[in-house]
Amino acid sequence: MKIAIGNDHTACELKKSVIAFLEEKGHGVINMGPDTPDPDDDYPAVGEAVGRTVVAKEADLGVLICGTGVGISLAANKVKGVRAAVCSDPATARLTRLHNDANIIAFGARIVGRELALDIVRAFVDTEFSGEERHIRRIAQLTEIENRG
């Protein structure tokens, strides 16, 4: 699986840990965020870039990390076709894939530590969408809202 990962200046070290974890699991990684903590690196551009990469199918899934996970996920969710979810625990990460077919996970470097972040990523990447009719119907409703603008 290929995974696009992006971050802001608060998450450079955590991103390195996530990349190493994903590569150790045999996944390809597209690093789309800064590697040094320059506070002038703005998360909206990174969130959009990861979102566009996932929607274009250049990556199967995306991982976004900023201070809280919220800002960068908001940017990604502006890209049509993105379903990015902020998760601070593995159960939510698993359920957002299983029920919502989320294609991007986001979390906060100031909110979760390294080990919890890796557990969140593992749960997200290792879970497939259930394909249940009720979930397909609800995702279609989300797409309708998105298309109405």
Side-chain angles (χ1 to χ4, degrees):
M1 186 176 304
K2 188 173 280 188
I3 300 164
I5 187 166
N7 60 289
D8 73 356
H9 65 281
T10 67
C12 296
E13 291 306 311
L14 185 53
K15 178 187 69 172
K16 290 175 189 174
S17 294
V18 172
I19 289 173
F21 171 78
L22 289 169
E23 289 177 341
E24 185 177 289
K25 294 286 189 185
H27 300 292
V29 176
I30 304 169
N31 181 357
M32 304 185 77
D35 292 320
T36 57
D38 181 349
D40 290 332
D41 287 321
D42 296 327
Y43 63 80
V46 175
E48 178 186 10
V50 169
R52 292 196 184 286
T53 299
V54 170
V55 169
K57 306 238 183 273
E58 296 167 11
D60 301 296
L61 296 172
V63 174
L64 293 171
I65 319 167
C66 67
T68 63
V70 174
I72 203 163
S73 71
L74 290 173
N77 276 317
K78 297 295 181 184
V79 177
K80 188 174 183 172
V82 166
R83 285 183 306 283
V86 179
C87 298
S88 297
D89 63 86
T92 305
R94 184 179 69 77
L95 290 170
T96 199
R97 285 283 300 136
L98 190 67
H99 293 176
N100 309 114
D101 199 18
N103 49 15
I104 297 177
I105 188 94
F107 49 87
R110 293 178 175 150
I111 307 300
V112 302
R114 179 186 178 279
E115 293 306 314
L116 182 53
L118 299 182
D119 288 343
I120 291 167
V121 170
R122 179 184 300 110
F124 184 71
V125 171
D126 288 352
T127 303
E128 294 288 328
F129 175 55
S130 72
E132 292 180 31
E133 186 278 326
R134 65 188 169 125
H135 298 307
I136 292 169
R137 182 180 70 247
R138 293 169 185 156
I139 292 167
Q141 292 170 6
L142 292 173
T143 302
E144 285 178 30
I145 294 168
E146 182 179 59
N147 289 336
R148 286 196 298 264

